[in-house]
């Protein structure tokens, strides 16, 4: 029996290369990795860099598949995945996201995102983070907590275009945008979902445990609480996530 297609969507400031360890753990050399425009791939002229625009971009990519897919997202990719699950259940068999907490009504953007959302300070931050040479960008990736090959791959993909995409996306996502979007979380329950809660990452990027769990309940999603797993799990701690996904999909197969 043919396997359900597996599609992976990464976040900021990553490229598709971050998925290598997870793909290896899953034994899914057939997995398809999609890079949101501006994040590891060029962005077409005039592309809509709002959360809704990226949701529609993802839908356009999944429409190319013959069958519904198992969809997994990390960081902003997880936000796009949840938005897709709310709006186009016909395109997926299942979905998994590590970023559901941003949809909670009391979610507050993390400090760095709040800087990007400000005119002036945001541009200066982008120049500092994305404007240097490779060694400077590698230092930035390391400061964000990345190590080894992941830091090298991410640094290689960081460029001014990604910085511009970050500013546009985060400014379009100022609150109450995400809280309003979160009101549609019950629509995501039309397909099986899995909330990946990286416990070493909570309260740093995408919300508290309580915010993740609230959003998961709203979306009718199962919950995987991942001990010892941090924000950069696609590279650094992929094994526990692979185990959670494998268990989730096995239950669907039964």
């Amino acid at each position: 029996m043919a396997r359900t297609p597996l599609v992976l969507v990464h976040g900021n400031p990553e490229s598709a290369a971050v998925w290598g360890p997870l793909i290896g753990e899953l034994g899914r050399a057939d997995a398809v990795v999609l890079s949101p425009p501006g994040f590891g791939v060029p962005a077409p002229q005039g592309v809509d860099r709002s959360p809704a625009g990226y949701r529609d971009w993802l839908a356009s990519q999944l429409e190319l598949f013959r069958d519904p897919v198992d969809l997994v997202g990390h960081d902003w990719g997880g936000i796009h995945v949840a938005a897709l699950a709310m709006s186009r259940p016909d395109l997926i068999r299942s979905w998994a996201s590590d970023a559901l907490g941003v949809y909670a009504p009391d979610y507050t953007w993390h400090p760095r995102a709040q800087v990007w959302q400000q005119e002036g300070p945001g541009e200066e931050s982008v120049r500092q983070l994305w404007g240097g040479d490779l060694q400077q960008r590698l230092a930035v990736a390391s400061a964000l907590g990345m190590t080894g090959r992941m830091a090298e791959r991410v640094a290689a993909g960081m460029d001014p275009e990604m910085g511009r995409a970050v500013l546009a996306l985060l400014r379009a996502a100022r609150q109450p945008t995400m809280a309003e979007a979160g009101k549609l979380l019950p629509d995501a329950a039309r397909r099986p979902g899995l909330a990946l809660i990286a416990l070493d990452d909570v309260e740093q990027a995408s919300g508290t445990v309580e915010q993740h769990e609230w959003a998961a309940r709203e979306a009718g999603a199962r919950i995987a609480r991942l001990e010892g797993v941090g924000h950069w799990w696609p590279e650094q701690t992929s094994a526990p996530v692979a185990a959670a996904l494998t268990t989730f999909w096995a239950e669907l197969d039964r």
Side-chain angles (χ1 to χ4, degrees), residues 144-166:
L144 291 173
M146 301 175 215
T147 58
R149 292 173 297 174
M150 181 177 188
E152 295 170 0
R153 287 195 289 262
V154 168
M158 294 174 67
D159 60 18
E161 181 173 6
M162 186 183 291
R164 291 189 292 270
V166 168

Side-chain angles (χ1 to χ4, degrees), residues 203-224:
E203 301 189 42
Q204 297 185 51
S206 55
T208 64
V209 170
E210 292 75 20
Q211 288 168 332
H212 281 277
E213 293 182 345
W214 174 87
R217 290 193 298 271
E218 289 291 298
R222 305 172 199 190
I223 295 175

Side-chain angles (χ1 to χ4, degrees), residues 80-91:
H80 304 328
V81 162
L84 186 285
M86 296 180 215
S87 59
R88 292 296 305 273
D90 57 302
L91 298 175

Side-chain angles (χ1 to χ4, degrees), residues 9-161:
V9 187
H10 66 79
N12 167 45
E14 301 158 351
S15 68
V18 302
W19 291 113
L22 181 69
I23 290 171
E25 290 285 348
L26 292 171
R28 290 296 301 263
D30 61 325
V32 176
V33 293
L34 295 178
S35 296
F39 293 89
V41 296
Q45 187 71 26
V47 67
D48 182 353
R49 293 178 175 178
S50 69
Y54 280 105
R55 175 203 63 203
D56 294 345
W57 158 80
L58 181 54
S60 74
Q61 300 303 298
L62 298 185
E63 286 170 349
L64 302 176
F65 286 77
R66 180 178 303 173
D67 300 311
V69 309
D70 288 328
L71 186 61
V72 178
H74 167 58
D75 187 77
W76 261 103
I79 299 173
H80 304 328
V81 162
L84 186 285
M86 296 180 215
S87 59
R88 292 296 305 273
D90 57 302
L91 298 175
I92 57 175
R93 179 182 78 143
S94 72
W95 59 275
S97 168
D98 68 351
L100 288 183
V102 303
Y103 286 106
D106 57 346
Y107 175 74
T108 300
W109 281 109
H110 57 87
R112 195 183 301 273
Q114 292 183 43
V115 172
W116 293 332
Q117 289 171 338
Q118 300 175 45
E119 305 288 341
E123 281 74 9
E124 178 59 28
S125 174
V126 161
R127 282 192 291 271
Q128 293 176 2
L129 297 177
W130 280 273
D133 60 23
L134 179 58
Q135 287 303 312
Q136 291 170 313
R137 298 196 305 273
L138 183 58
V140 169
S142 298
L144 291 173
M146 301 175 215
T147 58
R149 292 173 297 174
M150 181 177 188
E152 295 170 0
R153 287 195 289 262
V154 168
M158 294 174 67
D159 60 18
E161 181 173 6

Side-chain angles (χ1 to χ4, degrees), residues 161-187:
E161 181 173 6
M162 186 183 291
R164 291 189 292 270
V166 168
L167 293 182
L169 178 56
L170 268 296
R171 288 171 182 177
R174 291 185 182 102
Q175 293 291 22
T177 297
M178 302 313 297
E180 288 295 318
K183 294 178 180 179
L184 298 179
L185 279 169
D187 290 345

